[in-house]
Amino acid sequence: MKLGAFSISLNVKNLETSKQFYENLGFKVFAGSMKQNYLILKNENALIGIFQGMFEGNILTFNPGWDENANNIEKFDDVREIQQLLKNTGIKLMSEADEKTSGPASIMLTDPDGNTILIDQHR
């Protein structure tokens, strides 16, 4: 199963404070905007999304069809294929993609410890 680029999406109290903190760890802004209340930060292959007021908790995020530089990957597993594989193994999903569609879609699930996992396909 090819899940694509991995990042952690953090719910932060103050976007500017968190931006400065992660920049001190060597991360640089890669995408997003302060006006939209989120930034994607990158340090080599490591990606961290910081989001203010958009969701509760932290989320493990995978992006099928993308590498860590948001470049399209030619061969990837569509989120609907991943969804079907997970369902076939008995994993319960919090949200599902419409299997009758194509293109952008997402699914959500939780791991055994309650951590939220988002598989978010952008193309």
Side-chain angles (χ1 to χ4, degrees):
M1 186 178 318
K2 296 178 183 179
L3 297 175
F6 171 76
S7 63
I8 183 96
S9 299
L10 303 175
N11 175 24
V12 300
K13 295 176 187 169
N14 183 294
L15 194 61
E16 182 59 41
T17 300
S18 294
K19 174 184 177 280
Q20 290 174 5
F21 175 83
Y22 285 104
E23 284 177 337
N24 288 336
L25 290 178
F27 284 83
K28 300 209 181 309
V29 174
F30 177 68
S33 78
M34 297 295 285
K35 287 182 180 180
Q36 293 180 317
N37 290 329
Y38 84 95
L39 297 170
I40 307 301
L41 304 161
K42 191 171 189 304
N43 181 333
E44 296 188 14
N45 292 338
L47 294 167
I48 297 175
I50 54 175
F51 297 81
Q52 184 175 336
M54 297 178 92
F55 51 82
E56 290 185 28
N58 300 321
I59 302 173
L60 304 170
T61 304
F62 296 92
N63 300 112
W66 274 7
D67 68 13
E68 69 276 0
N69 294 307
N71 292 319
N72 290 340
I73 298 171
E74 188 174 325
K75 291 185 179 185
F76 68 97
D77 293 341
D78 186 88
V79 69
R80 293 153 198 87
E81 296 171 31
I82 295 168
Q83 174 176 286
Q84 193 57 53
L85 289 168
L86 296 174
K87 289 169 77 172
N88 288 346
T89 63
I91 293 176
K92 301 218 184 291
L93 302 176
M94 296 169 51
S95 68
E96 297 185 20
D98 182 347
E99 294 181 5
K100 296 175 185 158
T101 63
S102 62
S106 64
I107 60 175
M108 290 182 78
L109 57 143
T110 56
D111 73 9
D113 296 302
N115 298 301
T116 300
I117 299 169
L118 171 65
I119 302 175
D120 190 17
Q121 181 175 307
H122 295 285
R123 62 184 189 106

